[in-house]
């Protein structure tokens, strides 16, 4: 009998579950996610599930972690300060491909160098320029990203840049050719930047999680869920944290399939920060061929084809003053619920809310609080941010007491993006407390905060809401509406029949929306989802029945829907994929592009066999390093040729190798 421990660190809660022999859920537990030190939440959830189950920590045979940390960090624009070394490209590429936006003011340098399509050197690497850049910025960043033109065809310049960075700084380096074997240099550079930004964050999480498990007596190896739902070792996740984006959502899909046995359904997982929707087809989630997209960023990471939206129980509620009635919108930023921050600082929160309620006019910062997050790195923050952070110190403050001028709004935004500060405000979680749908936190604080929010004036001059319950129903109704739109967008994106418009336009189209209401006039409209929805997340049972009614579809809410991610973390498999390319720079020459550099062959089959051998060895080594056993290997070839003067001429070939096996459990 093998006892498996699954842990998921979400934006609001950390979940833990113990499963026996991948068949039965013995126990599950939750603890609040502690953002300043995620290991505290991990320890609380694991300690609780061990106590509930009566299982001895030493009897756990395998521990596995899924996390929304990387996903949430990218959605919220957080992460460490990094520098980009961009070799062989043009300066304008940085703006054209969104790299300047992703860098958010972090340093970069464009250097001469790079290779051509065939792997030949296009220009020598400007090593002196790199040395000067490192001297200027090496101490002010937490990591480096390196991307060279055609780096997947010949990584020599990326490898040399990595060596110089390691020699002259003590910072970690993310090289684009190590993260993807595909062409598209700017997109690989984006992936490398995001990977470098996440390294410190994921390294701290895994290191502290491992220490916490050992302190509790769990000696089993720790696995981490990758963005495609497969398991990797904790060491592999530390090296390539970008691969853990969509880790939590991918685990939830694996868990949904395990709990329901569904073959064809939409899976929708609502957390504190995001809602993640994917399609199960023939019992398997599809892999996004264009690479994982999270928030505004498209990466080259293989991950489940999923639509991630900044919509969750802790989404920021925005007041919409347009129109006579006004209204609200939700997300994409996550806030601390007022009802939660009131648990940590009850005197400050209640005194502030009561003072604001006594004022005859609503204030811009009513019901909004701020606090610092301890234990985060502070590289590269400016004097204005430093002064603001010093003012906040270790306490919870009303936001209006901290900001002394409008110019400080930018400094506050940068501190939030760096994960150094958290904002508390009205969220759907507060609305749920007001309506009696939840009672975990401070209900009284939630009522006061929603009363303040409802005092805002609409275009007609009336209050948005007469009392906190009316305000709460407005917020919950908006959450249900935006959730339904997210499900419709995913369904349209996965439809085999295309309609000539983008999924988000189709979901909001007047005919679609009128059809959901069953319009009957001279024209009868009846629209909805034709597949079931599996609702996951701690709050799914609260919000999703109304969503199912709105969309006219079956809503499946599994018994353990609140810990689906933790379940998926331990019932997955280890899967490693390696891919490579063969080109033909001239007739009769077949060039195999390897990490060590190109190799030429005079025979196409010999080149294919050489590449297969290298990729098979890499995939097997990676699977074994991840702790897999009973490994099976499959090889796929995609050989492209062209007809020239009545004969077939080799153009290019791609070879992919997949090694998959069960995670090894401790005996």
């Amino acid at each position: 009998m093998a006892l498996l421990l699954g842990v998921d660190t979400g934006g609001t809660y950390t979940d833990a579950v113990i499963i026996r022999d991948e068949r039965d859920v013995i126990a599950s537990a939750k603890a609040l996610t502690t953002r300043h030190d995620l290991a505290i939440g991990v320890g609380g959830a694991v300690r609780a599930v061990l106590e509930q189950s009566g299982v001895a920590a030493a009897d756990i045979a395998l521990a596995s972690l899924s996390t929304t940390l990387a996903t949430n960090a990218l959605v919220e624009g957080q992460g460490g300060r990094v520098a980009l070394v961009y070799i062989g490209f043009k300066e304008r590429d940085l703006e054209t491909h969104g790299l300047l936006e992703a860098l958010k003011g972090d340093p970069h340098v464009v250097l001469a160098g790079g290779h051509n399509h065939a792997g030949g050197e296009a220009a020598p690497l400007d090593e002196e320029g790199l040395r000067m850049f490192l001297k200027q910025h090496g101490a002010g960043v937490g990591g480096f990203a390196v991307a060279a033109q055609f780096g997947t065809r010949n990584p020599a310049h990326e490898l040399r840049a990595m060596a110089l960075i390691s020699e002259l700084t003590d910072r970690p380096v993310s090289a684009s050719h190590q993260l993807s074997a595909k062409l598209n240099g700017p997109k690989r550079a984006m992936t490398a930047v995001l990977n470098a930004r996440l390294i410190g964050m994921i390294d701290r999480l895994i290191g502290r999680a491992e220490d916490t498990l050992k302190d509790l007596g769990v000696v089993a190896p720790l696995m981490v869920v990758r963005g495609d739902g497969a398991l990797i070792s904790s060491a592999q996740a530390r090296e390539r944290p970008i691969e853990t984006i969509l880790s939590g959502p991918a685990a939830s899909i694996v868990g949904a399939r395990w709990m329901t046995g569904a073959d064809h359904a939409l899976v929708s997982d609502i957390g504190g920060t995001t809602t993640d929707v994917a399609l199960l087809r023939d019992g398997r989630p599809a892999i996004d061929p264009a690479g994982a997209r999270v928030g505004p960023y498209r990466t080259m990471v293989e991950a489940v084809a999923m639509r991630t939206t900044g919509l969750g129980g802790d989404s920021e509620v925005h007041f919409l003053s347009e129109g006579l009635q006004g209204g609200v919108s939700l997300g994409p930023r996550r806030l601390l619920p007022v009802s939660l921050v009131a648990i940590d600082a009850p005197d400050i929160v209640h005194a502030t809310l009561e003072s604001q309620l006594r004022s005859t006019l609503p204030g811009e910062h009513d019901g909004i609080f701020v606090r610092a997050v301890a234990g985060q790195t502070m590289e590269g923050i400016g004097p204005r941010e430093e002064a603001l952070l010093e003012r906040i110190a270790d306490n919870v403050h009303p936001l209006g007491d901290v900001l002394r001028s409008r110019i400080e709004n930018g400094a506050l935004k940068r501190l939030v993006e760096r994960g150094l500060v958290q904002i508390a405000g009205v969220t759907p979680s507060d609305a749920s407390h007001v309506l009696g749908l939840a009672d975990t936190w401070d209900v009284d604080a939630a009522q006061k905060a929603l009363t303040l929010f409802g005092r805002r004036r609409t275009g007609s001059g009336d209050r948005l809401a007469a009392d906190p319950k009316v305000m709460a129903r407005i917020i919950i109704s908006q959450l249900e509406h935006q959730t339904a739109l997210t499900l419709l967008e995913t369904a349209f994106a996965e439809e085999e029949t295309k309609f000539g418009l983008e999924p988000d336009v189709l979901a909001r189209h007047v005919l679609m929306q009128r059809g959901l209401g069953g319009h009957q006039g001279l024209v009868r409209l009846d629209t909805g989802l034709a597949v079931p929805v599996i609702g996951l997340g701690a709050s799914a049972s609260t919000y999703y029945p109304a969503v199912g009614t709105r969309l006219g579809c079956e809503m499946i809410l599994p018994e353990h829907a609140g810990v689906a991610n933790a379940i998926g973390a331990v019932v997955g498999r280890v899967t490693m994929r390696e891919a490579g390319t063969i080109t033909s720079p001239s007739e009769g020459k077949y060039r195999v592009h390897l990490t060590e550099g190109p190799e030429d062959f005079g025979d196409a089959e010999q080149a294919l066999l050489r590449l297969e051998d290298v990729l098979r060895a890499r995939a097997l080594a990676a699977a074994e390093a991840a702790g897999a056993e009973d490994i099976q290997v499959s090889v796929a070839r995609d050989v492209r040729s062209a007809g020239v003067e009545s004969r077939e001429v080799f153009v290019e070939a791609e070879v992919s190798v997949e090694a998959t096996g069960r995670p090894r459990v401790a005996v």
Side-chain angles (χ1 to χ4, degrees):
M1 179 183 74
L3 296 171
L4 313 177
L5 170 67
V7 180
D8 174 69
T9 61
T12 304
Y13 286 106
T14 295
D15 303 330
V17 63
I18 294 178
I19 295 177
R20 180 192 293 115
D21 290 331
E22 297 188 18
R23 288 197 305 271
D24 305 312
V25 176
I26 297 177
S28 64
K30 288 180 176 289
L32 277 174
T33 294
T34 45
R35 286 217 164 186
H36 65 284
D37 185 353
L38 292 168
I40 296 174
V42 170
V46 172
R47 194 176 293 107
V49 81
L50 289 172
E51 289 174 1
Q52 282 186 31
S53 65
V55 169
D59 291 338
I60 297 296
L62 177 71
S64 188
L65 174 72
S66 74
T67 177
T68 60
L69 178 62
T71 307
N72 293 349
L74 297 185
V75 168
E76 297 175 26
Q78 296 181 359
R81 191 167 190 261
V82 301
L84 171 63
V85 178
Y86 205 43
I87 303 168
F89 297 97
K90 293 181 171 56
E91 182 81 31
R92 64 173 179 268
D93 289 345
L94 293 166
E95 185 169 1
T96 304
H97 296 280
L99 286 163
L100 286 181
E101 181 185 352
L103 283 166
K104 298 180 181 296
D106 289 354
H108 67 273
V109 64
V110 179
L111 300 174
H115 292 77
N116 59 32
H117 183 272
E121 187 176 76
L125 174 63
D126 180 7
E127 293 192 15
E128 185 57 33
L130 178 56
R131 289 178 185 275
M132 291 174 61
F133 179 74
L134 296 176
K135 185 177 180 180
Q136 182 178 358
H137 296 287
V141 298
F144 286 86
V146 177
Q149 188 176 39
F150 286 110
T152 55
R153 295 294 166 87
N154 190 335
H157 287 180
E158 289 194 10
L159 293 170
R160 179 56 183 156
M162 289 176 69
L164 282 172
I165 293 169
S166 299
E167 176 188 329
L168 300 175
T169 78
D170 59 351
R171 302 298 193 251
V173 190
S174 297
S176 77
H177 78 276
Q178 296 176 336
L179 299 170
S180 175
K182 297 178 181 177
L183 295 177
N184 193 329
K187 200 167 165 186
R188 283 201 323 277
M190 174 74 77
T191 306
V193 166
L194 300 179
N195 190 70
R197 201 179 289 291
L198 294 170
I199 281 178
M201 192 180 289
I202 295 294
D203 185 67
R204 284 192 298 274
L205 167 62
I206 292 174
R208 291 285 291 120
E210 288 178 328
D211 291 343
T212 299
L213 291 176
K214 286 176 184 175
D215 290 344
L216 292 171
V218 177
V219 295
L222 179 66
M223 308 289 285
V224 178
V225 181
R226 204 169 54 192
D228 61 357
L231 302 180
I232 56 177
S233 71
S234 59
Q236 290 167 330
R238 279 173 147 152
E239 290 176 5
R240 297 163 76 154
I242 190 69
E243 293 190 354
T244 69
I245 62 171
L246 301 180
S247 160
S252 74
I253 296 172
V254 176
R257 164 70 174 166
W258 185 85
M259 287 186 288
T260 66
D263 286 325
H264 199 51
L266 283 171
V267 180
S268 184
D269 184 5
I270 181 170
T273 307
T274 61
T275 291
D276 309 301
V277 184
L279 177 67
L280 266 179
R281 185 180 278 128
D282 298 326
R284 294 171 61 90
I287 301 300
D288 192 338
R293 185 184 185 97
V294 181
Y297 306 118
R298 173 70 76 178
T299 72
M300 297 194 85
V301 175
E302 284 192 347
V304 169
M306 179 171 292
R307 191 168 287 263
T308 296
T309 306
L311 176 68
D314 298 343
S315 288
E316 181 176 12
V317 180
H318 302 273
F319 171 57
L320 302 178
S321 59
E322 295 84 359
L324 294 177
Q325 291 187 325
V328 298
S329 67
L330 307 179
R333 186 170 69 163
R334 175 188 182 270
L335 301 184
L336 282 173
V338 175
S339 53
L340 174 56
V341 80
I343 298 291
D344 296 335
D347 294 341
I348 293 171
V349 171
H350 280 282
T352 300
L353 294 173
E354 288 164 6
S355 173
Q356 291 169 347
L357 284 168
R358 286 193 294 270
S359 175
T360 55
L361 295 174
E364 180 184 0
H365 302 306
D366 281 359
I368 306 175
F369 300 86
V370 62
R371 75 177 184 190
V373 179
Q376 304 298 308
T377 58
M378 297 175 62
E379 299 118 333
I381 68 168
R384 186 170 283 123
E385 289 85 359
E386 197 170 335
L388 190 58
L389 199 56
E390 188 175 337
R391 206 177 305 153
I392 296 169
D394 297 326
N395 301 316
V396 173
H397 300 271
L399 182 59
D401 290 358
V402 171
L403 294 178
R404 295 177 179 171
S405 65
R406 287 197 173 274
I407 199 169
E408 288 188 334
N409 281 320
L412 179 65
K413 181 174 181 284
R414 288 187 289 274
L415 288 173
V416 171
E417 289 174 347
R418 291 286 304 277
L420 295 167
V421 161
Q422 287 179 310
I423 305 293
V426 170
T427 68
S429 294
D430 295 307
S432 294
H433 279 73
V434 169
L435 294 176
L437 302 173
D439 59 1
T440 311
W441 304 325
D442 192 326
V443 175
D444 190 30
Q447 289 176 333
K448 292 172 183 174
L450 264 70
T451 300
L452 283 167
F453 200 98
R455 296 198 311 172
R456 301 176 190 226
R457 299 288 176 175
T458 66
S460 65
D462 296 327
R463 288 189 172 191
L464 178 61
D467 61 61
K469 286 195 174 180
V470 172
M471 188 67 248
R473 282 193 286 271
I474 291 172
I475 293 170
I476 297 302
S477 177
Q478 182 64 22
L479 177 64
E480 293 164 358
H481 173 64
Q482 288 184 223
T483 300
L485 288 176
T486 301
L487 286 163
L488 289 171
E489 286 179 29
T490 305
F492 277 120
E494 296 294 335
E495 274 282 4
E496 293 182 4
T497 301
K498 299 305 176 185
F499 296 89
L501 294 171
E502 291 298 312
D504 60 327
V505 176
L506 290 166
R508 291 165 175 78
H509 198 284
V510 62
L511 294 178
M512 185 74 217
Q513 291 299 314
R514 293 287 176 86
L516 290 176
H519 172 83
Q520 288 207 27
L522 296 178
V523 174
R524 184 179 70 251
L525 297 174
D526 182 16
T527 59
L529 285 180
V531 295
V533 174
I534 303 172
L536 304 177
S539 60
S541 60
T542 300
Y543 306 129
Y544 277 19
V547 174
T549 301
R550 188 180 293 231
L551 295 175
C553 66
E554 180 187 4
M555 181 62 68
I556 303 170
L557 299 170
E559 179 185 357
H560 299 290
V563 291
N565 295 27
I567 290 172
V570 287
V571 298
R573 292 174 65 83
V574 174
T575 301
M576 293 295 166
R577 300 182 188 90
E578 294 286 342
T581 305
I582 299 172
T583 60
S584 181
S586 60
E587 189 170 358
K589 181 185 284 188
Y590 305 94
R591 180 163 291 171
V592 181
H593 297 277
L594 303 175
T595 303
E596 301 76 19
E599 292 184 12
D600 290 338
F601 292 83
D603 179 76
E605 185 62 23
Q606 285 184 346
L608 286 163
L609 290 173
R610 168 61 174 154
L611 183 55
E612 284 179 11
D613 287 344
V614 170
L615 297 179
R616 182 184 284 105
R618 276 194 214 152
L620 274 170
E624 289 168 354
E629 59 185 10
D630 298 333
I631 300 171
Q632 297 179 326
V633 178
S634 60
V635 179
R637 293 179 175 182
D638 180 14
V639 180
R640 293 184 286 278
S641 58
V644 179
E645 296 179 352
S646 72
R647 61 193 181 93
E648 289 295 308
V649 176
F650 180 98
V651 176
E652 190 172 281
E654 290 186 4
V655 176
S656 58
V657 174
E658 182 176 283
T660 183
R662 296 185 297 107
R664 188 182 302 112
V665 297
V667 180

